[in-house]
């Protein structure tokens, strides 16, 4: 199968996480979400979590060194042998350069960097309306995807839901600014390497998923 080591890029709320989860389920390529890893570190109270919490709550980016070390260690785990989808990493040019060095050292090659493109005006609405099942993590949205039975998770029947603390309108604005200033410059970086592919993320998620499979030749 083509396309085993992938980067999913795009603005916060652009649907990277949703698409990465679908690829993971369908093709058994593990999703490595640095946001999820940092939230787990915060929940576990690790030194990295303690350092990351206030930065994340402010909508800013956690330091490159922490992120590079985190991914470096994670990629060596057995479940990554069949490939991985980086979701939310790299987010800066130094992280992308760090990833290059790391992959070269491990003798691995990047197959594709995919931009899920969504216009800014959609993102605020997408981010501030989202919530997840506290038990299984299934994602929902106030406007676009309510559970079929109000208050009950479609997947696991759970009745507790949670919202990310950084999905508040003020924080979302800082996250979008960080994307434009620090992460968008990665698009020409990967284009120059000949691995950039773009999908229109401003559509129904099934259509985005189909397009993603098409550009990846899956
Ligand atoms: P996400 O779940 O991808 O939206 O990430 C949530 C937050 O985690 C971001 O706003 C950052 O504060 C932090 N974060 C996640 N990935 C990275 C990264 N690659 N570099 C720096 N900060 C990150």
């Amino acid at each position: 199968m083509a396309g085993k080591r992938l980067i999913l890029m795009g603005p916060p709320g652009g649907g990277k996480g949703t698409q990465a989860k679908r690829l993971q389920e369908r093709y058994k390529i593990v999703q490595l979400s640095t946001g999820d890893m940092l939230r787990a570190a915060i929940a576990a109270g690790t030194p990295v979590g303690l350092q990351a919490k206030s930065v994340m709550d402010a909508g800013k980016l956690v330091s490159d060194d922490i992120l590079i070390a985190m991914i470096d260690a994670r990629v060596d785990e057995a479940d990554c042998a069949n490939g991985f989808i980086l979701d939310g990493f790299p987010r800066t040019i130094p992280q992308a350069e760090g990833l290059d060095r790391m992959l070269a050292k491990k003798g691995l090659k990047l197959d594709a960097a995919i931009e899920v493109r969504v216009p800014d005006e959609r993102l605020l609405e997408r981010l501030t309306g989202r919530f997840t099942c506290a038990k299984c993590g299934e994602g929902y949205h106030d406007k676009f995807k309510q559970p079929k039975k109000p208050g009950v998770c479609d997947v696991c029947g759970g009745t507790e839901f949670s919202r990310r603390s950084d999905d508040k309108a003020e924080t979302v604005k800082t996250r979008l600014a960080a994307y434009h200033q620090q992460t968008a410059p990665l698009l020409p970086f990967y284009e120059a390497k000949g691995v950039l592919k773009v999908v229109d993320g401003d559509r129904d998620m099934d259509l985005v998923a189909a397009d993603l499979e098409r550009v990846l030749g899956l």
Side-chain angles (χ1 to χ4, degrees):
M1 184 194 72
K4 286 186 179 176
R5 290 184 197 90
L6 312 173
I7 299 177
L8 268 189
M9 295 190 295
K16 295 185 298 294
T18 304
Q19 296 300 335
K21 282 198 176 64
R22 292 172 74 133
L23 286 172
Q24 164 164 281
E25 272 159 35
R26 191 132 184 223
Y27 298 100
K28 309 286 168 234
I29 326 171
V30 68
Q31 172 199 18
L32 303 185
S33 158
T34 44
D36 285 351
M37 288 155 98
L38 290 167
R39 283 184 287 277
I42 292 173
T46 67
V48 164
L50 291 175
Q51 233 180 306
K53 181 162 180 16
S54 56
V55 179
M56 288 172 73
D57 281 344
K60 301 201 173 132
L61 295 185
V62 177
S63 89
D64 292 333
D65 295 349
I66 290 183
L67 271 295
I68 293 168
M70 199 176 225
I71 287 293
D72 197 350
R74 184 65 186 84
V75 163
D76 289 337
E77 287 179 35
D79 59 347
C80 292
N82 187 38
F84 47 79
I85 307 158
L86 294 172
D87 161 14
F89 178 92
R91 254 184 166 92
T92 63
I93 292 282
Q95 289 181 19
E97 291 168 347
L99 176 65
D100 271 357
R101 282 193 298 274
M102 183 194 308
L103 292 178
K105 196 179 67 195
K106 297 180 200 292
L108 301 175
K109 191 178 130 290
L110 185 69
D111 294 294
I114 307 122
E115 178 195 3
V116 181
R117 191 173 288 175
V118 180
D120 265 15
E121 58 270 23
R122 291 278 189 287
L123 299 169
L124 190 64
E125 180 182 56
R126 281 200 187 188
L127 286 162
T128 53
R130 68 186 185 176
F131 60 98
T132 52
C133 170
K135 201 163 142 200
C136 75
E138 180 70 3
Y140 294 97
H141 194 281
D142 294 328
K143 194 161 159 193
F144 307 120
K145 190 190 161 197
Q146 282 281 357
K148 293 194 182 73
K149 188 168 166 214
V152 183
C153 175
D154 297 346
V155 176
C156 75
T159 53
E160 303 270 324
F161 295 87
S162 63
R163 287 179 193 261
R164 274 173 53 170
S165 56
D166 60 350
D167 279 347
K168 292 191 282 290
E170 318 84 75
T171 315
V172 161
K173 291 194 182 124
T174 312
R175 288 166 61 202
L176 286 178
Y179 178 74
H180 287 296
Q181 283 159 18
Q182 290 162 278
T183 308
L186 294 181
L187 302 172
F189 178 93
Y190 285 113
E191 185 159 37
K193 289 181 182 290
V195 291
L196 182 70
K197 297 178 192 299
V198 181
V199 300
D200 175 5
D202 190 17
R203 296 176 300 162
D204 179 273
M205 58 181 113
D206 291 338
L207 295 176
V208 180
D211 211 14
L212 204 53
E213 290 177 16
R214 186 184 56 77
V215 301
L216 290 173
L218 293 171

